[in-house]
Amino acid sequence: TDGWINASQEIPPGSGVRGLFQPTSDTSHHGTTSLRYARSDGGFMTLLSPSIQFEPGRTYQARFWIKGLGDRALVRWSQNGVAVGDWLALGLPQDEWREMITPPWTPVAGASDLRVLITLYSTTERSCAAYLDSLQVEEAPSTHWQLGGIPRAATALEAVVFPTNSWTNVF
């Protein structure tokens, strides 16, 4: 849990109660431990990863594995304490680990703090317990390619494919 920030809503407000966040050896995807985050009061859970070393102008992607009881998980970048970039959303799988890969983000000059922002929403039963494992942040090299064919107008279409072992919408 070193460097992680529990930024969840307090329930009740002002109570300091933000859910339980701890390392656990109950389950893991890689190695012997993972992080477990749980609450049962119906509130959403928000975590910020430890601060990430970066160079302005370079594009980064983060990946980690997740599973647990809950409705959905959202992942986004946080730069200087502000949520930035596109959200990645998916259902939270209870019985299998699922890899989450953030949309790419390029920190700008003047950025001093870059983190991964993870938000988890409770099920209708008001409970949520998620396991997180193997957070990695890497520079996202892009591969440029051009579609074939003859354009109807004097324009061209360029797409970018990110080598993430997962499909992403690039248009």
Coordinates of all heavy atoms in Angstrom, one line a residue, residues 1-5 21-23 35-36 50:
T1 N 0.8 -1.2 0.0 CA 0.0 0.0 0.0 C 0.9 1.3 0.0 O 0.3 2.4 0.0 CB -0.9 0.0 1.2 OG1 -0.2 -0.1 2.4 CG2 -1.9 -1.1 1.2
D2 N 2.2 1.1 0.0 CA 3.1 2.3 0.0 C 2.8 3.2 -1.2 O 2.9 2.7 -2.4 CB 4.5 1.9 0.0 CG 4.9 1.2 1.3 OD1 4.2 1.4 2.3 OD2 6.0 0.6 1.4
G3 N 2.6 4.4 -1.0 CA 2.4 5.4 -2.1 C 1.0 5.5 -2.6 O 0.7 6.4 -3.3
W4 N 0.1 4.5 -2.3 CA -1.3 4.5 -2.8 C -2.0 5.5 -2.0 O -1.8 5.7 -0.8 CB -1.9 3.2 -2.7 CG -1.4 2.2 -3.7 CD1 -0.3 1.4 -3.6 CD2 -2.0 1.9 -5.0 NE1 -0.2 0.6 -4.8 CE2 -1.2 0.9 -5.6 CE3 -3.2 2.4 -5.6 CZ2 -1.5 0.4 -6.9 CZ3 -3.5 1.8 -6.9 CH2 -2.7 0.9 -7.5
I5 N -3.0 6.2 -2.6 CA -3.9 7.2 -1.9 C -5.3 6.7 -1.9 O -5.9 6.4 -3.0 CB -3.8 8.6 -2.5 CG1 -2.3 9.1 -2.4 CG2 -4.8 9.5 -1.9 CD1 -2.1 10.4 -3.1
F21 N -8.4 -0.9 2.7 CA -7.4 -1.1 1.7 C -6.2 -1.7 2.3 O -5.5 -1.1 3.2 CB -7.1 0.3 1.1 CG -6.1 0.3 0.0 CD1 -6.3 -0.5 -1.2 CD2 -4.9 1.0 0.0 CE1 -5.4 -0.6 -2.2 CE2 -4.0 1.0 -1.0 CZ -4.3 0.2 -2.1
Q22 N -5.8 -2.9 1.9 CA -4.7 -3.6 2.5 C -4.1 -4.7 1.6 O -4.8 -5.1 0.7 CB -5.2 -4.4 3.7 CG -6.3 -5.4 3.4 CD -6.9 -6.0 4.7 OE1 -6.8 -5.4 5.7 NE2 -7.6 -7.1 4.5
P23 N -2.8 -5.0 1.8 CA -2.2 -6.1 1.0 C -2.8 -7.4 1.5 O -3.2 -7.5 2.7 CB -0.7 -6.0 1.3 CG -0.6 -5.1 2.5 CD -1.9 -4.3 2.6
L35 N -3.4 -6.4 -3.8 CA -4.0 -5.4 -2.9 C -5.5 -5.6 -2.9 O -6.1 -5.9 -3.9 CB -3.8 -4.0 -3.5 CG -2.3 -3.5 -3.4 CD1 -2.2 -2.1 -4.1 CD2 -1.8 -3.5 -2.0
R36 N -6.2 -5.6 -1.7 CA -7.6 -5.8 -1.6 C -8.2 -4.5 -1.1 O -7.7 -3.8 -0.2 CB -7.9 -6.9 -0.6 CG -9.4 -7.1 -0.5 CD -9.7 -8.3 0.5 NE -11.1 -8.7 0.5 CZ -12.0 -8.2 1.3 NH1 -11.6 -7.3 2.2 NH2 -13.2 -8.6 1.2
P50 N 0.6 5.1 -6.7 CA 1.8 5.8 -6.3 C 2.2 6.7 -7.5 O 1.9 6.4 -8.6 CB 2.9 4.8 -6.0 CG 2.1 3.5 -5.7 CD 0.9 3.6 -6.5

